[in-house]
Amino acid sequence: MADRYASIRYLLPKWSGKLGAGLVIVGLITLFGVIAPYFTADPRDSGNKGLRPPSAEHLLGTTKLGYDVFAQLAAGTRGSLYVGLVGGLSAMLLAIVFGIIAGYFGGWLDEVLMLATNIMLVIPGLPLVMVIAAYVQNAEGLGDFARSSTLVALILGITGWAGSAVVLRAQARSLRTREYVAAARVAGESGLRVIFVEILPNLVPLIAAQLIFGVMAAVLGEAGLSYLGLGPTNSITLGTMLNDAQTGQAVGSRAWWWFVPPGLLIAMLGTGLSLINFAIDEIVNPKLRLAPQAARLQRKATKEGKGVAGGGAFA
Amino acid sequence: MVFYLRRIAFYLVTLWAAISLNFLLPRMMPGDPAAIMIGKLRRASGGRELSEETVKAIYALLGADKSVPAWDQYLAYWGRLLAGDLGVSSTRYPYPVATLIGNALPWTLLMVGAATVISFVLGIVIGAWVGWKRGTWLDHLVPATSLLQSIPYFWLALVLVAAFSVQLRWLPIVGAYDVFAFPSGPEWSWDFVVSALYHAFLPALTIVISSVGGWLLGMRNMMVSTMSEDYVLTAEAKGLRPSRIRDRYAARNAAIPSLAGFSIALGFVVAGSIVTEQVFSYPGIGKLMIQSVQGLDYALMQGVFLVITLTVLAANFLMDLFYGLIDPRVRSHG
């Protein structure tokens, strides 16, 4: 019975310190974003005294307008995670559509889809997002949606899928030539069925890695966009906090408790996500795991006097 | 030859796509960006009538009313661009967009360009060394680079300003040169160059710190993969000096994908430098872009986006040519 799960288990990352640390960091931040807003003070309550350093009453002090920074941080984390998730997922879906279809079907479809992908890849992302946001957010007839975090996330997703599509296409191309895929085709399975049943499951680690990148990119992209004043107005995110700090002269008035926490949280979230990605990378590219391990063993053997090479490139 | 022709064709198509996107976006939106822009220009000119030429340029760039066929609008749009006419800015009225961009571009090219090259070289050299020392304690430093990569550029800039400019007062807070010492603007003198370097140090440092991690990690991983290739083993068996194996056999081949990934990374650097310029009020292209977006100066925004795209495409194209030169496989397999 145990062998039934062997095929699933090899897709899961090997347990390692990196993976553990990454999961703990991301888990804690997610918990903070999901649970903390229920327990903190109202993040939009400006009744407090402004620009107070951290104290027992306000764990992280207050902003110029008297908002409690800790409460804002909790609400901002939730907002940023939401943008990250929506942006990352929409980018991933587009990457799957463009990358896998291009890689699997090949031919002229591949040429056309890859041309579109490469164009998206070389057009610089943030300026494009800024231009689109500037037009869309001032368009008539969108109402509240025009400045919502969902729209910001979708804009980030629509402009941020190209890198993942290239990676997925390369892998789908190589899977296409495997015997078992050929067998499925000979057995008369339709193209879409081959993609969903034979190819997609084998791309799961890669897609997961790309999703994590997408979430990271969306969180960072939102932070940049909000910092420039193009972020959502209906919700608090880590980026809008930094924008408030910028317009409120937080740096000049040395209010470190105001601008340091949101950026630090973004950096921690990014670090946690990329630590998880390292673990996934080591499944996709076993050399990354095996080569340092081999070098370590060899050096240990040399140290114990059992080695063949007395140093040099492999020690 | 086919390789180069394909690349040139690709960049021409991309250029066309970027320009057409620029043409389509304002016209696809509900509402009327051209009307908003003309309203802004009227207010900027203080109620005086705008010249017919200015109004015509705005309609050509941002969309005339629906009675003009789309194809004619498209031709008129191209005509404007090819003549180098990007309209008049409303936030910096009455300066033409092209002049504003011309003044801002050198600052960005020099500062961001130098920072990118420094960061690339540092990343490749350190990455090769860390990859060479795989399996040692240095491996544990690798995850730390991801922390550098996840830091938002502008937040790092804020922290650096808070530490070095506000707290320690070692470096200037804003600007690209000392505007009090040089009230008449940039000039060619030693003092001015010193002032410009002094002001560019912190923005450039921000870009280097936040982008070096990516190069380093990519190079390290390629180095680890390359070191397990058979030809490296052969080189070792021949008894070559380790430094020769490292530099000539492993690092040279491991660096190739980093060069190929240059274009993707360049996008991040451009994005990062836009927000960095905002933090430092650096008078470059990024600052201009932000100003235009915040003031809904659509003409300036379009022009800046076009110039950024053109510059990035040009950098990518040069990199592609170079890449084809050093790696013959690319030329033969496309």
Side-chain angles (χ1 to χ4, degrees):
Chain A
M1 280 313 278
D3 282 335
R4 237 177 97 184
Y5 299 106
S7 61
I8 299 173
R9 206 179 312 119
Y10 98 97
L11 288 172
L12 295 175
K14 294 271 178 310
W15 190 257
S16 70
K18 281 179 207 167
L19 181 63
L23 286 175
V24 167
I25 294 174
V26 174
L28 283 179
I29 293 178
T30 310
L31 272 181
F32 178 64
V34 173
I35 296 175
Y38 293 113
F39 295 101
T40 57
D42 179 7
R44 293 201 204 266
D45 171 23
S46 56
N48 311 302
K49 279 187 179 137
L51 271 190
R52 284 302 150 105
S55 62
E57 196 187 346
H58 301 289
L59 282 177
L60 285 171
T62 58
T63 72
K64 201 174 189 174
L65 293 176
Y67 298 142
D68 182 74
V69 175
F70 187 74
Q72 288 237 318
L73 198 65
T77 307
R78 175 181 282 189
S80 281
L81 284 174
Y82 173 74
V83 172
L85 223 60
V86 173
L89 278 173
S90 44
M92 185 193 78
L93 281 178
L94 283 168
I96 289 179
V97 169
F98 275 80
I100 297 182
I101 291 183
Y104 178 72
F105 288 106
W108 65 267
L109 196 59
D110 183 29
E111 293 276 334
V112 172
L113 291 180
M114 279 329 278
L115 183 66
T117 309
N118 282 325
I119 290 175
M120 285 303 289
L121 205 57
V122 289
I123 294 182
L126 186 73
L128 180 63
V129 171
M130 285 170 73
V131 169
I132 295 180
Y135 282 128
V136 173
Q137 291 178 347
N138 294 291
E140 292 159 17
L142 286 176
D144 288 342
F145 187 61
R147 295 301 301 255
S148 68
S149 51
T150 310
L151 186 70
V152 169
L154 288 177
I155 295 177
L156 288 168
I158 288 169
T159 51
W161 52 270
S164 305
V166 172
V167 175
L168 291 179
R169 171 188 173 260
Q171 195 63 20
R173 254 166 79 103
S174 103
L175 286 178
R176 187 174 64 134
T177 56
R178 302 283 164 87
E179 276 86 3
Y180 73 92
V181 175
R185 259 189 300 193
V186 171
E189 287 185 11
S190 72
L192 282 179
R193 193 186 145 80
V194 174
I195 287 182
F196 280 109
V197 177
E198 314 288 348
I199 290 188
L200 261 185
N202 286 296
L203 288 174
V204 165
L206 212 55
I207 292 175
Q210 296 307 320
L211 175 64
I212 290 175
F213 269 127
V215 171
M216 248 169 86
V219 168
L220 281 172
E222 186 277 328
L225 212 54
S226 296
Y227 176 71
L228 300 177
L230 289 168
T233 46
N234 67 345
S235 52
I236 302 171
T237 66
L238 296 173
T240 59
M241 280 183 78
L242 286 164
N243 178 251
D244 289 346
Q246 161 86 0
T247 46
Q249 304 287 336
V251 174
S253 44
R254 301 184 184 187
W256 58 267
W257 60 88
W258 187 3
F259 68 87
V260 171
L264 207 57
L265 208 73
I266 295 174
M268 293 301 293
L269 181 64
T271 310
L273 290 173
S274 35
L275 285 176
I276 298 176
N277 250 353
F278 277 131
I280 299 175
D281 250 1
E282 290 180 351
I283 316 175
V284 180
N285 183 2
K287 273 182 184 174
L288 287 180
R289 186 179 67 240
L290 300 177
Q293 208 177 344
R296 211 172 292 139
L297 289 175
Q298 204 171 11
R299 212 182 28 255
K300 205 172 138 201
T302 315
K303 215 179 264 171
E304 289 168 4
K306 296 179 203 156
V308 276
F314 293 89
Chain B
M1 203 56 222
V2 177
F3 166 73
Y4 292 112
L5 284 179
R6 271 184 75 108
R7 294 318 292 166
I8 291 170
F10 168 71
Y11 282 107
L12 287 179
V13 171
T14 308
L15 189 62
W16 166 79
I19 292 176
S20 300
L21 193 70
N22 231 345
F23 169 81
L24 278 176
L25 271 174
R27 288 167 176 80
M28 270 166 29
M29 294 299 146
D32 193 350
I36 297 178
M37 183 75 202
I38 287 174
K40 295 226 167 229
L41 282 174
R42 283 229 173 84
R43 273 192 295 280
S45 71
R48 267 175 289 122
E49 243 351 270
L50 301 167
S51 75
E52 199 172 319
E53 179 48 35
T54 311
V55 176
K56 242 174 81 186
I58 295 303
Y59 279 128
L61 291 168
L62 295 171
D65 52 273
K66 303 272 181 281
S67 61
V68 184
W71 179 247
D72 290 346
Q73 288 196 32
Y74 192 55
L75 288 183
Y77 181 74
W78 269 99
R80 290 276 163 188
L81 288 192
L82 291 178
D85 181 1
L86 298 169
V88 173
S89 160
S90 68
T91 45
R92 301 271 284 272
Y93 191 81
Y95 289 101
V97 169
T99 314
L100 292 172
I101 293 176
N103 291 338
L105 198 57
W107 291 110
T108 298
L109 281 183
L110 288 177
M111 193 269 283
V112 177
T116 309
V117 171
I118 292 172
S119 148
F120 181 73
V121 172
L122 268 181
I124 295 296
V125 170
I126 302 175
W129 189 66
V130 175
W132 174 254
K133 295 266 177 201
R134 73 220 176 288
T136 67
W137 61 273
L138 280 170
D139 279 359
H140 302 295
L141 286 186
V142 174
T145 57
S146 64
L147 179 71
L148 289 183
Q149 261 184 303
S150 335
I151 296 177
Y153 277 52
F154 61 89
W155 181 73
L156 180 67
L158 285 176
V159 172
L160 289 177
V161 167
F164 292 107
S165 305
V166 176
Q167 200 66 38
L168 297 170
R169 294 172 186 280
W170 286 351
L171 291 160
I173 298 180
V174 293
Y177 57 90
D178 193 342
V179 283
F180 298 109
F182 305 94
S184 57
E187 57 183 55
W188 286 111
S189 69
W190 177 244
D191 285 347
F192 181 78
V193 172
V194 170
S195 173
L197 284 178
Y198 179 61
H199 281 75
F201 182 76
L202 219 46
L205 184 69
T206 307
I207 295 174
V208 170
I209 291 180
S210 357
S211 61
V212 74
W215 302 119
L216 199 159
L217 189 66
M219 182 65 190
R220 181 259 173 191
N221 283 353
M222 270 322 289
M223 193 75 180
V224 168
S225 298
T226 313
M227 288 296 292
S228 50
E229 295 283 344
D230 289 340
Y231 72 87
V232 178
L233 190 67
T234 313
E236 169 85 358
K238 284 196 292 190
L240 295 180
R241 264 180 295 118
S243 65
R244 189 174 170 81
I245 298 173
R246 182 185 61 209
D247 301 340
R248 289 303 183 91
Y249 284 70
R252 268 173 73 162
N253 284 301
I256 288 175
S258 292
L259 291 172
F262 186 81
S263 59
I264 300 164
L266 197 65
F268 287 108
V269 176
V270 169
S273 58
I274 288 180
V275 279
T276 307
E277 280 184 12
Q278 163 77 354
V279 176
F280 292 96
S281 282
Y282 204 77
I285 272 298
K287 182 93 180 64
L288 211 56
M289 176 98 200
I290 294 158
Q291 197 178 37
S292 67
V293 167
Q294 286 173 346
L296 292 186
D297 187 347
Y298 290 124
L300 185 58
M301 186 175 85
Q302 273 207 344
V304 174
F305 177 67
L306 212 59
V307 168
I308 293 179
T309 311
L310 263 174
T311 318
V312 169
L313 287 187
N316 277 324
F317 183 58
L318 288 178
M319 212 57 193
D320 263 10
L321 293 185
F322 181 61
Y323 189 42
L325 199 72
I326 58 168
D327 189 353
R329 286 172 302 183
V330 188
R331 272 184 318 227
S332 50
H333 302 303

